[in-house]
Amino acid sequence: MSSGNPPWYETDENGEIMILEIPARLKSHPEVIRRGLELVSFTKIGVVYRTRAGMGPQYYIKILDTDTEEATIYQQLSRLVDPRNHTTPGELTSPEVGHPLLITPAMSDLEGLLGQKKTLSHTLSTFLQLMEGIEFMHSLRIAHMCCHLPIVWDICTSNLVATDIHISRLFPNLNVEPDRVYFIDFGSSLQLPLGPGYQHAITLPPSQYGLARGITRFDPYSWDVYCAALTMERALKSCYRNDSPLIARLYVDWVKGKERGCTTVCRCRPTAHRARQLLTGILWGVCVWECVQNAICSLKVLLLHTVS
């Protein structure tokens, strides 16, 4: 704890961690006080806390680990204006006024966005945003890498948030867009020397071994795509139960691939670029099909009214 990095805990007289207590160091942080943020609970003990929910905007406050690349990568991504950029809007506090914090809007989860409209085009459009965001990071030689236990679908959803029109209106100054998927938590993210197709496997952190099924070295870009497939797979099961659309299942299986434990550049699954390209084509075809179906239904209704 000499570096001041998280986790930050409050302890009792016996040295036991008081889970429900907000760390005094965080409550007294100059930026927390200046902004009048009332912290009420944690989402990741010792690391991420949230403000009180109410009629106004709610925020998440993350205590950054200065030994990681998170602040640098988040700052780089947040400055780039690009429709493919799905980095959650937020603010990095200056290290000159205390330990650096990342303050971001509280949003909904991926399931919330998918549940708004259970059409195949809406589901695929949401998945397209996921692949688009990964492709954008990979084009900058950034691997998200945030997929770890015990949350088994981290690019997987604890690291994905989504918005609706209500949430976007609460944060006009941060340009939060409605019906959009955003990436959060870049604590394990890496800026790599080589891009997709050239970067060899790296050693995974121990916390990620569970998803890797015993594999300890993984192409970091392929790892992101693999985790995205797990996210989509879980989302389909959650939203459709046992009746998910066949074309969506086939696409997810293709993205997931069959892992062979490649130690150099992985060829077990498509790149994010290729996965996004194919999904764009599939979505176009599905949208055309749904338009045709809607037109046929409207025509049938019109004919029935005419006959009657």
Side-chain angles (χ1 to χ4, degrees):
M1 290 291 291
S2 59
S3 67
N5 282 325
W8 292 357
Y9 299 126
E10 283 297 297
T11 58
D12 61 20
E13 61 275 10
N14 298 317
E16 296 292 328
I17 295 174
M18 296 188 290
I19 294 177
L20 299 180
E21 289 294 317
I22 308 297
R25 183 177 176 185
L26 183 58
K27 288 192 292 186
S28 62
H29 192 285
E31 283 295 323
V32 171
I33 294 174
R34 184 180 72 82
R35 297 163 189 256
L37 300 175
E38 184 184 358
L39 306 174
V40 294
S41 61
F42 67 86
T43 58
K44 183 177 181 181
I45 184 170
V47 181
V48 184
Y49 292 84
R50 62 186 173 203
T51 62
R52 184 176 301 280
M55 297 302 293
Q58 184 183 19
Y59 294 91
Y60 289 111
I61 292 86
K62 181 177 185 181
I63 307 162
L64 296 184
D65 186 338
T66 56
D67 290 336
T68 70
E69 299 180 58
E70 180 164 19
T72 302
I73 287 175
Y74 179 82
Q75 193 169 47
Q76 176 187 356
L77 289 171
S78 62
R79 287 175 175 175
L80 297 174
V81 179
D82 191 298
R84 301 170 300 159
N85 189 356
H86 288 262
T87 304
T88 186
E91 293 182 67
L92 277 172
T93 66
S94 172
E96 296 177 359
V97 293
H99 189 92
L101 307 175
L102 177 57
I103 303 173
T104 56
M107 302 184 192
S108 180
D109 56 26
L110 189 65
E111 286 181 304
L113 179 58
L114 285 170
Q116 291 177 13
K117 191 193 303 179
K118 284 189 178 179
T119 63
L120 180 56
S121 60
H122 178 70
T123 299
L124 296 180
S125 177
T126 302
F127 289 173
L128 182 61
Q129 292 190 56
L130 169 60
M131 298 312 306
E132 185 178 64
I134 297 171
E135 180 190 13
F136 178 70
M137 287 188 281
H138 289 185
S139 72
L140 301 169
R141 293 185 285 108
I142 293 172
H144 191 253
M145 293 299 292
C146 290
C147 193
H148 48 77
L149 298 176
I151 300 166
V152 186
W153 51 314
D154 236 35
I155 245 187
C156 290
T157 62
S158 69
N159 287 331
L160 288 172
V161 291
T163 61
D164 56 26
I165 188 65
H166 172 69
I167 293 174
S168 66
R169 286 173 177 169
L170 290 174
F171 303 98
N173 297 330
L174 292 177
N175 297 318
V176 176
E177 299 180 33
D179 301 324
R180 188 168 177 84
V181 174
Y182 287 106
F183 286 84
I184 58 173
D185 194 352
F186 296 87
S188 300
S189 300
L190 298 172
Q191 179 74 67
L192 297 163
L194 300 173
Y198 300 95
Q199 177 67 47
H200 285 203
I202 64 172
T203 301
L204 292 174
S207 60
Q208 300 177 345
Y209 290 174
L211 284 179
R213 298 179 181 178
I215 299 172
T216 59
R217 291 182 60 79
F218 222 104
D219 175 335
Y221 298 114
S222 185
W223 176 256
D224 279 356
V225 175
Y226 174 64
C227 291
L230 296 183
T231 298
M232 294 186 288
E233 183 178 64
R234 175 70 179 265
L236 286 176
K237 290 178 181 177
S238 176
C239 294
Y240 290 94
R241 304 303 177 188
N242 297 320
D243 193 31
S244 56
L246 175 61
I247 193 169
R249 294 202 310 271
L250 291 174
Y251 173 76
V252 170
D253 286 344
W254 174 69
V255 174
K256 189 175 182 181
K258 294 182 178 179
E259 184 56 43
R260 297 186 291 271
C262 303
T263 57
T264 56
V265 177
C266 185
R267 308 293 183 189
C268 301
R269 60 191 53 82
T271 62
H273 175 68
R274 180 61 181 147
R276 193 272 306 161
Q277 280 186 320
L278 180 61
L279 186 52
T280 299
I282 294 173
L283 179 58
W284 182 87
V286 167
C287 287
V288 170
W289 173 245
E290 287 182 352
C291 285
V292 170
Q293 284 187 313
N294 290 335
I296 291 174
C297 289
S298 298
L299 183 59
K300 286 181 178 178
V301 171
L302 181 61
L303 291 173
L304 284 174
H305 280 295
T306 303
V307 171
S308 59

